[in-house]
Amino acid sequence: MSVTTGQNRITGPAPGKPSAGAGKIAKALLALALVGAVAACARPVGDFGRAQPSFTHDVAMPAVGKWRAAQAGEPVSNFNQTDQERLMHDRVWRFLIAPHGRDWAFDSSVELQRTRIYPARDSRFTVDRYYGTLRKDPYQSSRVRYRRVGSDIDTDIALMPSTFAAICDVIEVDRQRAEALRSLGMGSPMSAEVAARQAENGQYISWFTRAVRYRYDSYSYALDHLLVETPHEEARAVDASLSRLLVYVQAAEKADFCRGAGAFNGGHESRALPSRIYMTPNDYEGEYRK
């Protein structure tokens, strides 16, 4: 459509055909509306804390997040997920948010980060929240708090080997992609897609590494404060579990995911750290030595 006024010619979009700028505005408004609708909603879970299928969380939110990430210049791949990548996401998600964590595990914030509607925010999480949750629960005995911490740590430890294996499989998939790309001599756009997917996988693995460090630091913070607030001999077992968890945390921080489960059960690298707690069998709440 054009309008002539004297010597000036003003050109605009034809009726019924919105401009590119209007399209971007519409997408932004859609994204904001969706974020507002789901900002307080964590990903739904079913039996054993497994994520339940959900159109909102599996289709709508990731679509908006993918668009936001692309607008922000972040790596975005259009490749379909492999079985290995899907399994890794499922395994890692358990460490990003778990039912036993309840309000200390940042349900909504994690979901917005997982779907990429928000960029990474987990570095802002503070380690005192888990201890705060423990203090609020009206346990009849202080020893129950120690057992709760020990149980949470042992659950994390039990699931580490399968999660490490899933991550290792994805690392191998990325290697195979790169080798296939090289041997077949494919250039852009396939090379760009391979690089983007590798970057996406790397970001997710890095998030897992930060998450397990956060869990370890939160458990450790809780144990230290419980020792001062309500000292009890139950702390010894919790401290031993923390030492076992630290082995996995340090392996993740070294990107050492492919050692195999046996490497974590014995030998030089898997020895637990010396205990922070020294108590005799006769020690009890109210009388302790640290």
Side-chain angles (χ1 to χ4, degrees), residues 3-20:
V3 178
T4 302
T5 306
Q7 299 299 316
N8 298 322
R9 185 176 180 87
I10 304 173
T11 302
K17 295 182 178 180
S19 66

Side-chain angles (χ1 to χ4, degrees), residues 112-132:
L112 292 171
Q113 182 171 331
R114 181 190 72 84
T115 55
R116 304 184 74 176
I117 290 176
Y118 283 172
R121 302 160 64 89
D122 59 286
S123 60
R124 306 177 188 178
F125 297 170
T126 58
V127 297
D128 60 334
R129 287 175 63 98
Y130 180 69
Y131 173 62

Side-chain angles (χ1 to χ4, degrees), residues 89-163:
H89 279 248
D90 289 344
R91 297 285 193 216
V92 167
W93 182 76
R94 156 63 180 71
F95 289 92
L96 306 179
I97 171 65
H100 78 262
R102 296 205 300 277
D103 59 329
W104 75 279
F106 306 91
D107 306 42
S108 300
S109 182
V110 164
E111 185 61 1
L112 292 171
Q113 182 171 331
R114 181 190 72 84
T115 55
R116 304 184 74 176
I117 290 176
Y118 283 172
R121 302 160 64 89
D122 59 286
S123 60
R124 306 177 188 178
F125 297 170
T126 58
V127 297
D128 60 334
R129 287 175 63 98
Y130 180 69
Y131 173 62
T133 299
L134 288 173
R135 296 192 73 245
K136 290 177 184 176
D137 284 339
Y139 296 122
Q140 291 185 352
S141 169
S142 59
R143 77 167 61 224
V144 179
R145 289 190 176 86
Y146 286 99
R147 290 176 180 174
R148 158 78 188 276
V149 180
S151 175
D152 290 347
I153 296 171
D154 290 343
T155 299
D156 286 349
I157 292 171
L159 295 173
M160 282 288 185
S162 60
T163 306

